[in-house]
Amino acid sequence: MNPTTGTWPPLPPEPPHPPHPHRSPWLPEPRPVAPGPVSASSSVQVWAPDQLAERLLDQRVVVLAGELDTETANRAIASLALLDASGDEPVQLRLSGVRVDLGIALGLVDALDLMGAPVHVTALGTLTGAAIALLAVGDVRTAAPHALLQLADPRPPGGVRGWDVEAWAADHTRQVQRLHERLAQASGRPVEEIAADMHAGRLLTVSEAHTYGLVDTATSPRRTDH
């Protein structure tokens, strides 16, 4: 028998190559590890979003940033409920340039109203429309020195079918009225004034927001002199 054609007894087949682990298309490929020792001072550890959120929760901090969808809001509501059940110490809620639809914002407001632990809210960047309510209902309301608050009519959601427009319009009107009433309660201003300012798109600096009744204090900038 020609040794190149086969052997006896036959050899077992080679094991298949292990499949590539599933990777999200949004994550970059891992960088190759440079040979040689790496000092502790030069190493950098990057935390995945879930790990970072868990570490923040350990410090009783919840961070919301950018565009909020239903899934993000539900995770935030669950995090707030968890922190509320785990102790009476204040919860820190950081809002960084949050944009949110009216219905989602009101759901978050309800969650904040149900908190037994005090909630200290800090605004960073620009809050617009319904997102301002997340700051306004806090027990302690703080804004960064360069934060801006824009009172604006809540944007309507997309994808409303023609035969649902009438029902949606009635519900949207009810929710807008509820938002105006909640902001009026938080600021001590008449509902009519809140509605007029939101329709006009009034922009407030931190000091103006303080006078308006939506902010209690501004954070102090770090000193650069030595």
Side-chain angles (χ1 to χ4, degrees), residues 21-220:
H22 175 71
R23 288 185 56 82
S24 167
W26 303 108
L27 295 178
E29 292 297 325
R31 297 186 178 215
V33 179
V38 179
S39 65
S41 61
S42 63
S43 63
V44 177
Q45 185 171 14
V46 179
W47 294 94
D50 285 348
Q51 291 177 307
L52 179 59
E54 290 176 4
R55 287 174 61 84
L56 289 170
L57 283 177
D58 290 340
Q59 304 299 319
R60 301 183 68 79
V61 177
V62 176
V63 176
L64 296 176
E67 189 80 22
L68 302 187
D69 56 15
T70 302
E71 180 180 357
T72 304
N74 287 338
R75 288 176 62 88
I77 290 172
S79 299
L80 291 170
L82 175 64
L83 294 175
D84 193 28
S86 63
D88 297 328
E89 297 81 9
V91 174
Q92 303 290 332
L93 176 60
R94 306 289 175 85
L95 306 175
S96 179
V98 171
R99 301 179 301 278
V100 61
D101 289 335
L102 177 57
I104 297 176
L106 291 177
L108 285 164
V109 167
D110 286 342
L112 293 171
D113 285 340
L114 290 172
M115 293 284 291
V119 181
H120 297 185
V121 187
T122 301
L124 306 168
T126 301
L127 298 183
T128 303
I132 294 177
L134 306 182
L135 171 67
V137 301
D139 296 293
V140 177
R141 307 167 302 175
T142 305
H146 300 103
L148 291 172
L149 274 61
Q150 184 177 20
L151 296 166
D153 287 332
R155 58 188 182 183
V160 180
R161 296 174 295 182
W163 54 84
D164 291 337
V165 169
E166 185 175 351
W168 169 85
D171 185 62
H172 183 72
T173 300
R174 178 186 60 82
Q175 289 186 331
V176 169
Q177 179 66 20
R178 183 181 166 209
L179 175 66
H180 292 167
E181 292 172 352
R182 200 65 184 85
L183 290 175
Q185 179 184 356
S187 64
R189 291 178 177 268
V191 174
E192 296 77 14
E193 181 180 359
I194 297 291
D197 287 340
M198 294 195 76
H199 185 68
R202 183 174 178 182
L203 190 66
L204 303 175
T205 64
V206 174
S207 60
E208 291 170 338
H210 174 69
T211 302
Y212 201 89
L214 294 174
V215 171
D216 298 318
T217 184
T219 59
S220 300

